[in-house]
């Protein structure tokens, strides 16, 4: 049996947006259940995100440490950011985030995996890219602010990231998914068998 997620839209009899924030909002939908009853579902509406697992020639992953107020932690993460423009090409957004957060560019890009981060309470979809053939970006560094002004950067062997994930020491969703997916890809058909960087993404359709 082949397991595959399928898109489906249950009937919504009423919808309200009680909160609208700077980047996200909260929506309340009344959804018709299979038995005909109506259940109320509250969830965060999110524009979507991209993340970049940047792997250098020594097998190290570029990571950064950033304060995340909702969980009251400084987390080691891979570069990531919002899809700020509706319909934006996710590859372009990923290249921008890698430049802004690490001042790095990459010549080889692949899709590592696509995930819904918290589908029980948020519609956020994330595309995690694998970036290889890294080099220092041209031009001046991007001016950072707020939490990003306190970021630490490091390059860590993939094996050490996996150890930290399994030991319960590293918790960022994109880092966990990216590191473990990379190991699975390496042990499977190889990194060159990953989907191309412009592979379709039904969760967040984009223009080529």
């Amino acid at each position: 049996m082949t397991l595959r997620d399928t898109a489906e839209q249950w009937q919504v009899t009423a919808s309200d947006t009680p909160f609208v924030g700077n980047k996200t909002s909260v929506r309340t939908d009344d959804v018709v259940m299979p038995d005909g009853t109506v259940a109320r579902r509250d969830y965060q509406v999110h524009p979507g995100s991209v993340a970049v697992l940047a792997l250098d020639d020594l097998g190290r992953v570029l990571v950064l440490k950033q304060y995340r107020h909702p969980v009251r932690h400084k987390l080691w993460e891979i570069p990531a950011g919002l899809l700020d423009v509706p319909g934006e090409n996710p590859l372009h957004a990923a290249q921008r985030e890698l430049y802004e957060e690490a001042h790095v560019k990459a010549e080889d890009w692949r899709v590592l995996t696509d995930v819904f981060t918290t589908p029980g309470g948020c519609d956020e979809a994330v595309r995690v890219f694998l970036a290889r053939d890294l080099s220092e970006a041209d031009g001046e560094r991007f001016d950072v602010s707020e939490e990003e002004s306190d970021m630490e950067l490091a390059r860590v062997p993939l094996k050490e990231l996996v150890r930290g994930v399994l030991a319960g020491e590293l918790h960022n969703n994109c880092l966990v998914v990216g590191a473990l997916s990379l190991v699975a890809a390496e042990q499977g058909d190889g990194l060159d068998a990953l989907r191309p960087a412009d592979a379709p993404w039904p969760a967040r359709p984009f223009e080529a």
Side-chain angles (χ1 to χ4, degrees):
M1 181 178 66
T2 300
L3 296 180
R4 187 182 185 91
D5 296 335
T6 56
E8 190 166 330
Q9 178 68 53
W10 290 5
Q11 182 183 359
V12 175
T13 60
S15 184
D16 185 33
T17 306
F19 171 79
V20 178
N22 185 32
K23 297 293 185 180
T24 66
S25 60
V26 172
R27 181 176 297 159
T28 298
D29 288 343
D30 291 341
V31 186
V32 179
M33 298 290 109
D35 63 359
T37 61
V38 176
R40 179 155 292 180
R41 294 290 178 260
D42 303 317
Y43 59 99
Q44 182 185 20
V45 178
H46 195 285
S49 306
V50 292
V52 184
L53 194 148
L55 185 68
D56 70 15
D57 293 339
L58 299 178
R60 301 174 303 176
V61 177
L62 194 157
V63 292
L64 51 92
K65 195 173 190 181
Q66 185 172 348
Y67 177 65
R68 294 301 186 183
H69 185 71
V71 295
R72 309 305 198 268
H73 271 70
K74 271 191 170 183
L75 300 178
W76 283 105
E77 307 179 350
I78 56 177
L82 298 175
L83 289 168
D84 294 308
V85 181
E88 181 180 18
N89 188 311
L91 174 60
H92 299 164
Q95 291 170 333
R96 180 186 69 237
E97 293 300 330
L98 185 60
Y99 164 74
E100 291 181 356
E101 295 191 348
H103 200 65
V104 166
K105 62 181 180 180
E107 298 301 322
D108 187 279
W109 290 83
R110 310 271 173 161
V111 174
L112 189 53
T113 191
D114 298 324
V115 294
F116 293 118
T117 55
T118 48
C122 179
D123 71 351
E124 181 184 16
V126 179
R127 169 157 282 188
V128 183
F129 287 91
L130 171 66
R132 294 181 292 173
D133 193 6
L134 309 181
S135 61
E136 191 79 3
D138 300 325
E140 296 182 2
R141 285 187 172 274
F142 181 77
D143 288 332
V144 296
S145 61
E146 299 177 344
E147 291 93 342
E148 293 183 350
S149 62
D150 190 45
M151 285 195 310
E152 302 174 46
L153 292 173
R155 296 195 182 201
V156 180
L158 175 62
K159 184 176 181 180
E160 176 61 19
L161 291 183
V162 172
R163 185 209 62 77
V165 168
L166 299 181
E169 299 168 357
L170 300 172
H171 307 89
N172 175 261
N173 182 286
C174 292
L175 184 149
V176 171
V177 170
L180 299 185
S181 295
L182 180 58
V183 171
E186 289 179 335
Q187 295 178 355
D189 294 332
L191 302 186
D192 290 336
L194 291 169
R195 287 173 291 162
D198 60 353
W201 189 17
R204 291 295 185 273
F206 60 92
E207 299 177 3

